[in-house]
């Protein structure tokens, strides 16, 4: 599996993520409401709000998925980070 390259602003992104202290926080109804709305609008069995640190993709809110995190190297979002810089 190919691993997405790190974006040039990765250090700043991680600093901002740490500043917000959202990783490993408790469930919040506002996030869960957004996740439920996304699943409803898109008519999908799975909807997620995730945050990515250095090593993992952590799910702040989730519908249709039991795991709370996955390795960063297999996250769909990490691929988007690297591809958005090419647009």
């Amino acid at each position: 599996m190919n691993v997405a390259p790190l974006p040039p602003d990765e250090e700043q992104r991680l600093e901002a993520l740490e500043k917000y202290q959202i990783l490993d926080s408790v469930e919040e109804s506002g996030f869960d409401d957004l996740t439920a709305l996304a699943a409803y609008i898109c008519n999908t069995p799975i909807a997620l709000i995730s945050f990515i640190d250095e090593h993992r993709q952590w799910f702040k809110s989730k519908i249709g998925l039991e795991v709370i995190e996955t390795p960063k190297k297999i996250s769909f979002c990490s691929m988007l980070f690297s591809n958005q810089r090419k647009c």
Side-chain angles (χ1 to χ4, degrees), residues 21-40:
Q21 298 181 343
I22 197 162
L23 292 174
D24 301 311
S25 60
V26 298
E27 293 181 4
E28 296 180 54
S29 62
F31 284 97
D32 293 340
D33 291 346
L34 287 172
T35 306
L37 182 60
Y40 174 76

Side-chain angles (χ1 to χ4, degrees), residues 46 48 59 62-69:
I46 297 174
L48 308 164
F59 303 117
K62 59 192 182 314
I63 290 177
L65 190 67
E66 296 300 317
V67 298
I68 60 171
E69 64 185 49

Side-chain angles (χ1 to χ4, degrees), residues 7-75:
D9 61 348
E10 178 72 353
E11 187 174 325
Q12 292 88 353
R13 187 189 69 77
L14 291 171
E15 288 173 5
L17 183 59
E18 185 175 326
K19 177 183 172 186
Y20 288 112
Q21 298 181 343
I22 197 162
L23 292 174
D24 301 311
S25 60
V26 298
E27 293 181 4
E28 296 180 54
S29 62
F31 284 97
D32 293 340
D33 291 346
L34 287 172
T35 306
L37 182 60
Y40 174 76
I41 289 172
C42 297
N43 193 29
T44 60
I46 297 174
L48 308 164
I49 295 177
S50 62
F51 293 91
I52 299 177
D53 68 13
E54 285 185 271
H55 306 288
R56 66 186 172 139
Q57 172 178 233
W58 175 74
F59 303 117
K60 173 67 177 169
S61 180
K62 59 192 182 314
I63 290 177
L65 190 67
E66 296 300 317
V67 298
I68 60 171
E69 64 185 49
T70 59
K72 179 181 177 181
K73 65 182 178 183
I74 65 166
S75 74

